[in-house]
């Protein structure tokens, strides 16, 4: 059995290492390669359970070193002949070139999640991958973590209690949709909770109620949906994006 193809999450971590090494490859004897190999073999990716124990070459030190060569040699400024690599390699390189700081933060968030044991405890979430099989630009594992924490019933309950205590309406903060007004008693008190900053920006931290926004299901999905190289948008950005469209619909 051959090692499975590299996922976005794995390439994110490997490319972060290459970037931190000045966009140069890392050799087999480099301790950072060994550390990354151990980390990649422990990632709770779909269909990979037990693979590290049954397939010794899976994300071995040698394979990790070769992947850093793929990533380094396919940088636009690389002077030599690039290795073949893969189409996903080129996409991850482009992502780092356009928003290096955010991608490095995403890598650190995954490393922190694995190191703390939190990511290994979170089961796969239904919406961690889009309908077409793609994931957030920052990786499937961070999408899983974000969705899991947003579904924390205790957190949602506390946010709703705060809104009611302040006498504010329990409706979507983007489009003002009110489930109770539309669905009657069935929708009364229902609303979804969204983190205004994703994990790759905020980093793993204790969630404050001020970090949360109340959204309808549609706006919540649109805040998370990947589009034109961006995998998330804040409720405020989505509201601004919607304004001219809504204005035209009423003309």
């Amino acid at each position: 059995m051959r090692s499975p193809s590299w996922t976005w999450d794995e390439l994110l971590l490997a490319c972060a290492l290459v970037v931190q090494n000045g966009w140069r490859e890392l050799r087999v004897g480099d301790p950072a390669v060994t550390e990354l190999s151990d980390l990649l073999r422990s990632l709770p990716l779909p269909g990979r359970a037990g693979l590290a124990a049954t397939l010794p070459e899976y994300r071995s030190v040698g394979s990790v070193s070769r992947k850093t060569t793929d990533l380094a040699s396919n940088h636009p400024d690389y002077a030599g002949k690039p290795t073949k690599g893969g189409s996903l390699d080129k996409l991850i390189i482009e992502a780092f070139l356009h928003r290096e700081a955010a991608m490095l933060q995403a890598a650190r968030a995954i490393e922190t999640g694995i190191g703390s044991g939190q990511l290994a405890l979170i089961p796969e979430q239904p919406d961690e991958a889009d309908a077409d099989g793609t994931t957030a630009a920052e990786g499937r594992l961070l999408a899983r973590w974000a969705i899991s924490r947003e579904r924390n019933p205790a957190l949602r309950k506390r946010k709703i209690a705060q809104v009611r205590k302040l006498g504010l309406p329990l409706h979507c903060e983007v489009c003002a949709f009110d489930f109770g007004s539309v669905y009657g008693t069935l929708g009364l008190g229902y609303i979804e909770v969204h983190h205004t900053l994703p994990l790759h920006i905020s980093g793993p931290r204790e969630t404050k109620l001020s970090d949360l926004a109340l959204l309808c299901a549609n706006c919540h999905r649109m805040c998370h949906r990947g589009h034109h190289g961006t995998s998330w948008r804040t409720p405020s950005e989505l509201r601004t994006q919607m304004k001219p469209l809504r204005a035209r619909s009423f003309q």
Side-chain angles (χ1 to χ4, degrees):
M1 186 173 72
R2 295 178 59 186
S3 290
S5 299
W6 284 66
T7 65
W8 185 271
D9 299 74
E10 294 173 311
L11 290 173
L12 170 65
L13 294 169
C15 199
L17 195 61
V18 172
V19 170
Q20 291 164 339
N21 195 44
W23 280 102
R24 297 188 301 272
E25 64 183 338
L26 289 93
R27 300 295 187 181
V28 169
D30 194 314
V33 173
T34 301
E35 291 176 11
L36 180 57
S37 172
D38 291 340
L39 176 61
L40 294 178
R41 288 166 65 86
S42 70
L43 291 183
L45 291 166
R48 307 290 178 91
L51 196 57
T54 59
L55 197 63
E57 63 269 27
Y58 171 62
R59 304 305 178 253
S60 64
V61 171
S63 69
V64 171
S65 176
R66 285 194 298 274
K67 183 51 65 179
T68 69
T69 301
D70 292 338
L71 295 167
S73 67
N74 279 276
H75 186 284
D77 295 334
Y78 185 73
K81 183 179 179 180
T83 57
K84 185 176 180 181
S87 58
L88 207 56
D89 294 4
K90 294 178 174 59
L91 290 177
I92 199 82
I93 291 168
E94 183 179 357
F96 269 93
L97 291 176
H98 283 88
R99 47 197 191 96
E100 180 180 303
M103 299 300 282
L104 287 173
Q105 284 178 305
R108 283 194 291 270
I110 292 178
E111 290 168 355
T112 300
I114 293 299
S116 66
Q118 293 183 70
L119 266 174
L121 298 175
I122 302 172
E124 291 183 45
Q125 302 293 311
D127 300 328
E128 67 184 45
D130 287 338
D132 61 0
T134 61
T135 61
E138 289 71 37
R140 183 167 188 159
L141 294 178
L142 289 191
R144 178 185 301 176
W145 198 349
I147 291 166
S148 172
R149 66 176 185 169
E150 287 182 346
R151 288 179 176 160
N152 182 331
L155 203 59
R156 177 179 174 274
K157 186 176 180 180
R158 285 172 52 209
K159 180 62 178 181
I160 289 175
Q162 180 196 53
V163 170
R164 284 178 167 159
K165 185 176 180 179
L166 293 173
L168 299 173
L170 196 66
H171 66 203
C172 177
E173 295 180 25
V174 173
C175 71
F177 184 87
D178 186 313
F179 283 90
S181 297
V182 176
Y183 296 105
T185 55
L186 175 64
L188 200 62
Y190 181 79
I191 198 74
E192 297 188 4
V193 168
H194 173 70
H195 280 73
T196 54
L197 287 178
L199 278 164
H200 79 275
I201 295 294
S202 67
R205 66 175 185 180
E206 183 178 353
T207 301
K208 301 176 182 178
L209 294 183
S210 58
D211 294 331
L212 304 174
L214 300 181
L215 299 180
C216 70
N218 285 345
C219 289
H220 194 183
R221 188 66 174 174
M222 292 300 101
C223 279
H224 277 292
R225 189 167 190 262
H227 185 62
H228 289 174
T230 301
S231 63
W232 66 278
R233 56 209 47 81
T234 66
S236 177
E237 289 169 340
L238 182 61
R239 188 164 52 245
T240 299
Q241 184 177 333
M242 288 176 64
K243 277 182 180 179
L245 301 174
R246 299 187 75 181
R248 286 203 298 270
S249 68
F250 288 108
Q251 289 178 356

